[in-house]
Amino acid sequence: MSQEQEKIERMVQQGKLSRAEADELLATLEPQDSGQPHPSIQGTQPRTRRTFRIHVDKANGKHVDLGFPMSLVGVGLNILARRGKAAIDLDGKDVPIDTEEIRRLIADPAFVGELMTVHTGDGDTVVLSVE
């Protein structure tokens, strides 16, 4: 079992993911059969491999840069939709996330660029983008 699979299983045990959510994530990690297309978001198959990136610049100089396969973005948006909350807590205030607009943009295989930029009151910056 890969590290990713183990992490997903731990999240199920901790109650952070349902079994169905975990199965959906695990399916994206399975090796692809020859000739089988990679699972796509909303039925659209990207022509090139794109990455969903989360880049955080903290005011204190620390940085975080995470990249995910696009197939996991659809899973994450589905989890947000099921939990009924698509917002970011920004300085104690909920700022809504337009998940349908994000879905529309990531489903377009030609889209590359920023999806969302958030600047916090304490000087942190979070950028969600497609590369």
Side-chain angles (χ1 to χ4, degrees):
M1 184 179 288
S2 73
Q3 286 181 336
E4 291 86 5
Q5 291 168 322
E6 289 176 11
K7 287 179 186 177
I8 291 168
E9 293 300 332
R10 270 196 306 272
M11 290 175 77
V12 170
Q13 292 170 356
Q14 295 167 347
K16 294 179 180 178
L17 287 176
S18 70
R19 180 78 256 162
E21 291 165 341
D23 289 343
E24 197 172 344
L25 284 169
L26 290 168
T28 66
L29 297 175
E30 291 177 5
Q32 299 299 306
D33 297 330
S34 61
Q36 293 293 321
H38 193 274
S40 61
I41 299 168
Q42 292 187 342
T44 303
Q45 179 64 34
R47 292 185 186 133
T48 60
R49 184 177 173 102
R50 297 180 304 153
T51 301
F52 177 75
R53 185 151 312 278
I54 301 172
H55 185 87
V56 180
D57 284 319
K58 302 283 285 175
N60 65 8
K62 293 184 180 180
H63 304 282
V64 177
D65 192 20
L66 304 169
F68 300 93
M70 291 303 288
S71 58
L72 290 180
V73 178
V75 173
L77 289 171
N78 290 341
I79 291 169
L80 272 178
R82 281 186 231 142
R83 298 216 169 145
K85 181 181 179 185
I88 295 175
D89 181 350
L90 181 59
D91 299 328
K93 185 175 170 185
D94 276 345
V95 176
I97 299 171
D98 187 346
T99 57
E100 289 311 309
E101 178 66 5
I102 291 174
R103 277 185 198 280
R104 186 186 68 72
L105 290 169
I106 64 174
D108 177 357
F111 177 79
V112 175
E114 287 187 14
L115 293 166
M116 180 180 205
T117 301
V118 178
H119 301 281
T120 66
D122 60 1
D124 297 342
T125 303
V126 179
V127 179
L128 306 180
S129 62
V130 175
E131 298 176 350

